[in-house]
Amino acid sequence: MGSTAVVVGGGIGGLAAAIGLRRIGWEVTVVERAFTLEDVGAGISLAANGLRALDELGVGEAVRDASRGQYSGGTRTPQGGWLARMDGSALEKAVGTPIMGIPRATLHGLLRDSLPAEALLIGSEADSVEQPGPGTVRVRCGDTVLDADLMVAADGIGSKMRSHLFPDHPGPVYSGSTVLRAITERAVDLRTDFELTWGQGAEFGHIAFRDGRAEWHAVLSLPAGTRFADPLDELRRRFRTWHGPIPALLDATRPDAVLHHDVNELRSPLPSYTVGRTTLLGDAAHAMTPNLGQGACQALEDAVTLAAVLATESTVEAALARYDAERRPRTQAVARAARQTGRMGQQLSHPLAVALRNTAMRLTPSRATTRMILRHHTWVPPQLN
């Protein structure tokens, strides 16, 4: 019998980890508490590092075929003035691809379809993890007990598995921002592929998709738990004076399509991503704010790296030690950078601070902006085959 693993969590990171492990010959069971994988969510941007990881997992071509390259756009003021322009062609020349926009549900579906149905244990929640012997990890899911050589916790920012492994860790905290987002019901006439608009304590952005629809998001600095009786009407009120195509994006959206979540993060870094034969991956390990668009990309990097070290190291313990040594410094550095970007972006609310930020952005050469973006995009994955 070959090596076996239990992956807790059927999101993007968990599915990617399962695909990677299967590519190196492991038998994998993905435990997902939802009773159906409905492929919900809004949109996602995938940078070169995430796309390279998907290539190693064997789904990169399919993802690119379903995505739209972000060649045009940038960052604007609420009145429509440009603070910084995006040069997607320069990014493509530097790293081989522009940033790609894709509905999250489409990406999730492509990953799920890369796994056999028997690898998915749907509607079952992992309750606990223990190591009954030196070479076995045991995951209890109600009356079901799964013994394996490895457990991968990819159960998201509210990870129950992380709490079991690190009971003294404070867990996720509120970032100070809440986000409302949706995908438009119909195509919208957009002149750019991607935009962010920064106001005082507010942000609005969009990602254009291949079929003409778009994902939009609105980020607001509000107390945690704030909710609106009519979210779409509230956003129309708050952004009524902002430039186009913001009103058109809101008008092309069904009220029941709007998702609203507080943005939480793991502000206190974990001391390790591994304990014995268990390891953390994706948001369970390093949940970050979305300001750099790197959350999913870092989870995909995790998945490929984990498979690669397990394929090359002589023991699971040695592989997990190497995984921790490679992934923890990088992901925690990206999380810090994302937090800092948020503080200089949407979270700025004082008019003088906003004016100084805007002036600095206008004066920054486009090449320097491209270099800053590339800092996180140039990761090259280890080969799985």
Side-chain angles (χ1 to χ4, degrees):
M1 183 177 176
S3 299
T4 59
V6 174
V7 176
V8 179
I12 289 172
L15 294 176
I19 294 169
L21 291 171
R22 284 178 54 84
R23 285 178 75 84
I24 63 168
W26 283 52
E27 295 182 20
V28 184
T29 300
V30 179
V31 178
E32 169 55 46
R33 66 181 179 180
F35 284 94
T36 56
L37 293 180
E38 297 176 341
D39 302 334
V40 297
I44 191 170
S45 292
L46 293 170
N49 55 320
L51 290 165
R52 290 194 195 101
L54 289 165
D55 288 336
E56 284 302 317
L57 297 174
V59 294
E61 184 177 355
V63 170
R64 285 179 174 84
D65 288 344
S67 304
R68 173 170 165 171
Q70 296 176 4
Y71 288 97
S72 61
T75 307
R76 305 175 74 175
T77 68
Q79 295 74 36
W82 289 99
L83 297 175
R85 295 270 192 170
M86 166 184 282
D87 190 344
S89 296
L91 284 175
E92 185 174 35
K93 184 177 180 181
V95 293
T97 179
I99 300 170
M100 305 293 286
I102 185 172
R104 182 177 288 268
T106 302
L107 174 60
H108 190 271
L110 290 170
L111 292 171
R112 183 201 61 217
D113 292 344
S114 297
L115 293 169
E118 61 268 22
L120 303 174
L121 184 58
I122 307 302
S124 183
E125 183 169 6
D127 300 313
S128 65
V129 59
E130 58 189 71
Q131 192 160 325
T136 304
V137 63
R138 177 169 294 162
V139 181
R140 296 185 182 275
C141 309
D143 295 332
T144 302
V145 177
L146 300 172
D147 286 342
D149 300 297
L150 168 71
M151 190 277 282
V152 181
D155 50 340
I157 187 170
S159 172
K160 181 185 288 188
M161 295 297 101
R162 184 185 61 237
S163 298
H164 280 293
L165 298 174
F166 298 98
D168 295 329
H169 188 270
V173 297
Y174 182 52
S175 68
S177 300
T178 192
V179 59
L180 296 92
R181 54 166 69 96
I183 294 177
T184 61
E185 184 179 17
R186 61 180 184 273
V188 181
D189 183 18
L190 300 172
R191 298 183 179 181
T192 58
D193 301 315
F194 171 85
E195 284 185 16
L196 288 180
T197 300
W198 282 343
Q200 294 177 210
E203 170 186 303
F204 197 100
H206 77 250
I207 301 170
F209 296 144
R210 285 182 68 90
D211 62 3
R213 295 180 303 151
E215 183 259 15
W216 58 259
H217 71 266
V219 188
L220 306 171
S221 297
L222 293 170
T226 300
R227 294 296 182 268
F228 306 113
D230 187 336
L232 200 55
D233 185 63
E234 177 67 21
L235 293 178
R236 288 193 179 104
R237 183 186 68 80
R238 286 176 178 264
F239 294 99
R240 66 182 182 277
T241 62
W242 287 37
H243 65 81
I246 292 173
L249 288 164
L250 296 175
D251 288 342
T253 303
R254 296 195 326 270
D256 61 356
V258 180
L259 305 173
H260 189 175
H261 299 99
D262 290 341
V263 179
N264 297 316
E265 60 172 327
L266 285 185
R267 193 170 299 164
S268 299
L270 286 167
S272 175
Y273 288 174
T274 70
V275 176
R277 284 182 170 242
T278 64
T279 194
L280 294 160
L281 182 148
D283 282 352
H286 46 70
M288 59 190 70
T289 62
N291 303 94
L292 293 177
Q294 276 289 312
C297 290
Q298 291 303 308
L300 293 168
E301 285 188 20
D302 289 347
V304 173
T305 302
L306 179 62
V309 297
L310 287 166
T312 54
E313 293 294 335
S314 58
T315 67
V316 170
E317 289 81 3
L320 296 186
R322 185 173 148 201
Y323 168 78
D324 180 61
E326 291 187 14
R327 295 306 302 155
R328 188 155 49 90
R330 172 165 168 79
T331 54
Q332 291 179 351
V334 174
R336 287 193 300 271
R339 187 180 310 120
Q340 291 165 359
T341 300
R343 289 171 178 167
M344 292 303 295
Q346 162 263 325
Q347 290 186 343
L348 280 186
S349 58
H350 193 282
L352 179 58
V354 170
L356 289 172
R357 188 270 320 280
N358 290 357
T359 299
M361 289 186 67
R362 290 190 180 102
L363 295 175
T364 301
S366 61
R367 274 189 240 172
T369 302
T370 300
R371 282 198 302 271
M372 285 188 287
I373 295 173
L374 289 175
R375 181 174 48 153
H376 305 296
H377 293 199
T378 53
W379 177 84
V380 177
Q383 293 186 348
L384 299 185
N385 294 315

